[in-house]
Amino acid sequence: MGVRLMVVDDHRLLAEALASALKLRGHRVLAAAAPAAGAAELVIARAPEVCLLGTAAPAEPGTFDPVVRIKRERPQVAVLVLGPVPSPRGIAAAFAAGASGYVRHDERIEGVERAIMKARAGEAAVAPQLLQGAFGELLNPAAQPDDEGQRLLQMLTPREVEVLVRVADGEDTRLIAAGMGIAPSTARTHVQRVLMKLGVGSRLEAAALAARTGLLDRAGPLRTHGPAPETATGPGSEP
């Protein structure tokens, strides 16, 4: 039996694509709305069984205020947060606000559906390793805010860090391959892994995230290869 759902995300295309995929799997999707600022009012008015609530910054203060309001006024609604690769603090904040689970943006539709069914059944819908980290953070909160740049840097291998630096410098796949002495197919695979680990959908987003978090400054020693030649097509030219 299908689930009565709502999908709310700031990225309308993402919300609509996910809603369409869930409809094809037999679920009743009440709305795919943006921006998320109006999520609480919409969910409270429609009262779905499960709400998929997107966020781009799970560690930012106030991100989960809509979850708090939804659970206060519609406690029967299970809220699943959709977000990028999270820190334990982001997961902990989602659960503390009353969310039933956390699903990464790059999760397959089968995984999203499993999380939906768990949430409707009243179970915690989150990968075990993420849940363990979240509970650890809830029990022993860090004294200082997370250093997002350092956290992201630790997720990447040295070669992936170099790939990210080159992407941020505007190099396309051909230039990355030539500069690192690898095949273009290998370079493309490295780029896709970097995007997946950072929880972003494009090279441009990866470059922006790296710059915003200071990751590029921490990777300074790898920037000795110099700026990309003028033939580079830019970080947003390829997926």
Side-chain angles (χ1 to χ4, degrees):
M1 183 178 177
V3 180
R4 293 174 63 251
L5 300 167
M6 291 189 67
V7 180
V8 184
D9 197 287
D10 282 330
H11 297 282
R12 182 175 293 277
L13 288 178
L14 175 63
E16 292 177 350
L18 181 54
S20 296
L22 290 169
K23 285 179 181 178
L24 290 175
R25 299 178 77 86
H27 301 288
R28 181 185 174 191
V29 184
L30 301 179
E41 291 80 1
L42 194 58
V43 174
I44 290 167
R46 303 299 293 272
E49 292 179 277
V50 179
C51 170
L52 295 170
L53 179 65
T55 178
E60 291 293 325
T63 294
F64 301 115
D65 287 350
V67 180
V68 174
R69 184 177 172 194
I70 291 168
K71 296 304 293 184
R72 182 175 65 243
E73 301 194 31
R74 294 285 188 181
Q76 74 276 17
V77 175
V79 181
L80 277 177
V81 176
L82 289 168
V85 179
S87 66
R89 178 168 296 184
I91 295 283
F95 275 98
S100 297
Y102 191 105
V103 181
R104 285 173 46 167
H105 273 145
D106 59 355
E107 180 62 77
R108 292 179 179 273
I109 188 63
E110 294 84 2
V112 175
E113 188 173 40
R114 284 195 297 271
I116 289 170
M117 303 308 291
K118 283 187 174 183
R120 185 175 69 168
E123 301 176 26
V126 64
Q129 64 271 27
L130 296 181
L131 188 60
Q132 183 179 6
F135 284 153
E137 176 64 29
L138 284 171
L139 294 173
N140 301 290
Q144 299 296 328
D146 290 341
D147 185 331
E148 187 178 6
Q150 182 63 28
R151 178 179 64 83
L152 294 176
L153 191 61
Q154 291 174 347
M155 293 168 51
L156 305 176
T157 66
R159 175 147 287 196
E160 288 167 348
V161 172
E162 182 177 357
V163 168
L164 177 59
V165 169
R166 290 177 179 274
V167 166
D169 282 345
E171 295 187 14
D172 61 12
T173 299
R174 178 179 57 81
L175 290 171
I176 292 173
M180 298 179 66
I182 58 178
S185 60
T186 302
R188 189 175 297 108
T189 297
H190 283 315
V191 171
Q192 292 298 331
R193 286 177 178 170
V194 169
L195 299 185
M196 181 184 69
K197 287 185 176 183
L198 296 183
V200 298
S202 71
R203 296 177 179 222
L204 187 60
E205 288 181 86
L209 177 63
R212 177 176 62 80
T213 60
L215 191 156
L216 293 178
D217 294 333
R218 293 179 179 277
L222 291 175
R223 302 182 69 90
T224 56
H225 62 271
E230 291 184 2
T231 54
T233 55
S237 60
E238 300 183 35

